[in-house]
Amino acid sequence: MFFERPESGELAVLVHLDLHSEHEPEDPREFEELVLSAGGDPVVFLTGHRSAPDPKFFIGTGKLQELAGAVEREGAGLVIFNHNLSPSQERNLEKELCCRVLDRTGLILDIFAQRARTYEGKLQVELAQLEHMSTRLVRGWTHLERQKGGIGLRGPGETQLETDRRLLRARIKSIQKRLERVRRQRHQGRRSRKRAEVPAVSLVGYTNAGKSTLFNRLTEAGVYAADKLFATLDPTMRRIKLPEIGPVILADTVGFISHLPHKLVEAFGATLEEAASASLLIHVVDAASEERQRNMLRVQEVLEEIGAREIQVLLVYNKIDLFDHMPPRLDRDARGRPCAVWLSAETSDGIDLLNRAMTELLSGEMVQGKFLLEPGHGRLRARLYQLGAIVSESPAADGGAIAELSLAVSDFQRLLKAEGMTADQLTEIVDHGDLAASA
């Protein structure tokens, strides 16, 4: 509606400054990957150092002359900064360079616009674009006269600008209403899954860590996966079955990135809520990346921002096939619980270890073990069979049965309450058939 997206292969000059005032500088290599992922063709990469950005052009006058020379020499139609520019800085640069100027946020928004496929994804991207560009709308009318006092000085520019602003606000409001309906639908789905006691597992991680490849390996879903940043944008959910757990909902989410624009986090709130409400988060890490630790910290920051800090996390170090003779393995913490899995989603090495780790972590919300069902527990036994909670059964000496159970804690407590019993009244069988009080 209001925006032009660059054509694939557009010649671009890239600009990156090392600023002393930045506590967490941007990665120039990641910046170049973003440009390539957007379909740009980088012809020149200008770098420099400054203590702080110039308020008018972001870069100094000397670097501006160098940039203008590179644009003219290469015939580039686009200049992209690895930083966030103010609207005035973008306008000043475009006036001096006579070409389009894009900042880091605009670049990421354009990639998202290219990747969105579903109705919800397109709405989320358009909302983020509109909110980002609303402050830059004046740029489109700089060639028109402004309304001023005096005969012959009243031009149409300001009136048209205000008209576009009203249209833009109306469109934003409309999209927000539609996304609110999507959010309510997702909330309803989560409530239904919670009532059915179906655990939810979400894949999260830095972009291009291999989440979609792992998702395909676990579900055979055929989700698009490629070696590029933000190859997957639209969330996908599939039902898988884990041994001893049963049905589990697995969700593939959008990849994170350092300094992910807040407007994107807000726009994708409905999608990110899937991660915030999951029973288990699988944090997929590119084990071969030189920026592995930094990327893991960026993901943790986003998880905190969306309120998923308290959810249990299983680390998955992916792409071990890029190392020489590195076998898959399962790491455990001091309590013996799985904390990390080293695997290759590309070759399937270690997928069995991941399934075992997920089963162990999700079974923390399960009741598993052998229990003595006395002759008077016939109705409880029948209800356990109805739930499919009895794995195996053998006769007991007193006429009852020794049943091996596997069911959710909530189901177990609900059955006991219906029978007017407590867990203390049910005997658990421990080592070699010995009897002990139930926990």
Side-chain angles (χ1 to χ4, degrees):
M1 181 178 177
F2 293 99
F3 316 108
E4 295 179 1
R5 282 167 44 190
E7 299 178 357
S8 178
E10 188 170 1
L11 299 181
V13 175
L14 313 187
V15 181
H16 170 84
L17 294 185
D18 290 323
L19 299 172
H20 302 307
S21 57
E22 279 187 336
H23 297 294
E24 298 178 356
E26 305 290 1
D27 183 0
R29 289 172 298 181
E30 180 182 86
F31 174 45
E32 189 168 7
E33 289 181 19
L34 281 171
V35 175
L36 293 171
S37 186
D41 183 8
V43 289
V44 176
F45 198 136
L46 292 182
T47 59
H49 300 267
R50 280 187 70 89
S51 57
D54 179 79
K56 186 175 182 180
F57 296 112
F58 194 88
I59 55 178
T61 53
K63 186 62 67 175
L64 179 62
Q65 292 177 0
E66 184 182 353
L67 177 58
V71 169
E72 184 178 0
R73 183 175 65 255
E74 301 294 339
L78 179 64
V79 172
I80 309 177
F81 278 72
N82 193 22
H83 310 275
N84 290 326
L85 303 176
S86 68
S88 62
Q89 287 170 337
E90 281 193 12
R91 289 196 300 270
N92 294 335
L93 285 166
E94 288 188 344
K95 185 177 179 180
E96 292 292 326
L97 300 173
C98 299
C99 70
R100 292 178 54 234
V101 175
L102 201 63
D103 67 356
R104 180 182 173 86
T105 298
L107 174 63
I108 295 175
L109 286 172
D110 185 84
I111 296 173
F112 273 52
Q114 294 181 46
R115 301 285 189 270
R117 293 292 178 267
T118 64
Y119 170 75
E120 177 190 353
K122 291 177 180 178
L123 282 179
Q124 290 169 325
V125 170
E126 185 178 357
L127 176 61
Q129 276 190 319
L130 290 171
E131 291 183 334
H132 173 68
M133 296 298 289
S134 61
T135 58
R136 291 156 166 78
L137 191 61
V138 65
R139 173 173 66 178
W141 296 102
T142 52
H143 64 290
L144 296 178
E145 295 179 70
R146 295 290 179 262
Q147 288 184 340
K148 301 177 183 178
I151 298 173
L153 295 178
R154 285 180 279 268
E158 192 68 21
T159 302
Q160 183 62 57
L161 180 60
E162 286 303 315
T163 301
D164 277 358
R165 280 177 173 161
R166 284 194 295 272
L167 289 172
L168 187 143
R169 286 194 295 268
R171 179 63 178 166
I172 288 177
K173 194 171 182 180
S174 172
I175 294 175
Q176 287 173 335
K177 286 182 178 179
R178 296 183 190 181
L179 284 175
E180 184 57 35
R181 286 198 294 269
V182 171
R183 183 175 278 106
R184 287 198 297 268
Q185 291 169 356
R186 285 189 178 276
H187 182 63
Q188 181 97 24
R190 285 193 294 270
R191 287 180 59 188
S192 299
R193 293 197 298 271
K194 192 171 183 180
R195 284 197 299 268
E197 302 296 342
V198 179
V201 178
S202 286
L203 299 178
V204 298
Y206 210 75
T207 182
N208 204 29
K211 295 184 298 300
S212 295
T213 303
L214 180 60
F215 184 82
N216 287 335
R217 191 64 67 185
L218 291 169
T219 65
E220 300 181 358
V223 169
Y224 175 69
D227 186 17
K228 60 175 68 173
L229 302 186
F230 298 117
T232 303
L233 178 59
D234 299 307
T236 308
M237 288 185 287
R238 292 290 187 275
R239 184 184 290 259
I240 62 174
K241 193 168 184 179
L242 291 176
E244 303 178 13
I245 297 294
V248 173
I249 297 297
L250 185 66
D252 185 18
T253 60
V254 63
F256 302 154
I257 196 169
S258 62
H259 304 142
L260 187 67
H262 288 285
K263 291 300 180 186
L264 274 179
V265 175
E266 293 172 8
F268 280 77
T271 302
L272 295 174
E273 281 176 2
E274 292 295 335
S277 62
S279 305
L280 172 67
L281 295 178
I282 296 181
H283 180 177
V284 184
V285 180
D286 183 352
S289 172
E290 296 179 2
E291 301 292 332
R292 187 173 75 190
Q293 293 298 326
R294 186 184 70 91
N295 295 346
M296 291 171 66
L297 290 175
R298 299 297 178 271
V299 172
Q300 291 173 11
E301 290 172 1
V302 177
L303 290 177
E304 290 183 9
E305 192 171 347
I306 64 176
R309 184 179 181 180
E310 301 301 324
I311 301 175
Q312 62 177 342
V313 177
L314 173 65
L315 285 172
V316 170
Y317 292 99
N318 189 25
K319 305 185 183 181
I320 63 170
D321 53 295
L322 300 180
F323 298 97
D324 292 332
H325 311 296
M326 184 175 186
R329 74 171 190 263
L330 172 60
D331 296 340
R332 298 180 180 274
D333 59 18
R335 296 181 298 168
R337 291 170 59 83
C339 61
V341 179
W342 296 75
L343 55 76
S344 170
E346 185 68 29
T347 64
S348 296
D349 290 338
I351 294 297
D352 56 331
L353 296 178
L354 175 59
N355 285 327
R356 185 195 307 172
M358 286 193 292
T359 299
E360 288 189 38
L361 292 175
L362 291 173
S363 64
E365 302 174 9
M366 304 281 290
V367 172
Q368 293 180 318
K370 292 183 178 181
F371 292 84
L372 175 63
L373 301 180
E374 299 175 359
H377 295 157
R379 190 165 56 180
L380 173 62
R381 179 171 172 267
R383 290 185 174 182
L384 286 169
Y385 266 110
Q386 287 178 351
L387 283 176
I390 296 183
V391 179
S392 64
E393 187 182 78
S394 59
D398 61 353
I402 297 175
E404 183 181 351
L405 304 183
S406 177
L407 74 165
V409 171
S410 55
D411 284 339
F412 186 61
Q413 292 173 342
R414 187 169 61 248
L415 286 178
L416 291 177
K417 185 177 180 181
E419 294 298 313
M421 299 174 58
T422 64
D424 295 332
Q425 295 174 270
L426 202 61
T427 303
E428 183 175 3
I429 309 299
V430 290
D431 296 337
H432 308 298
D434 295 332
L435 297 182
S438 173

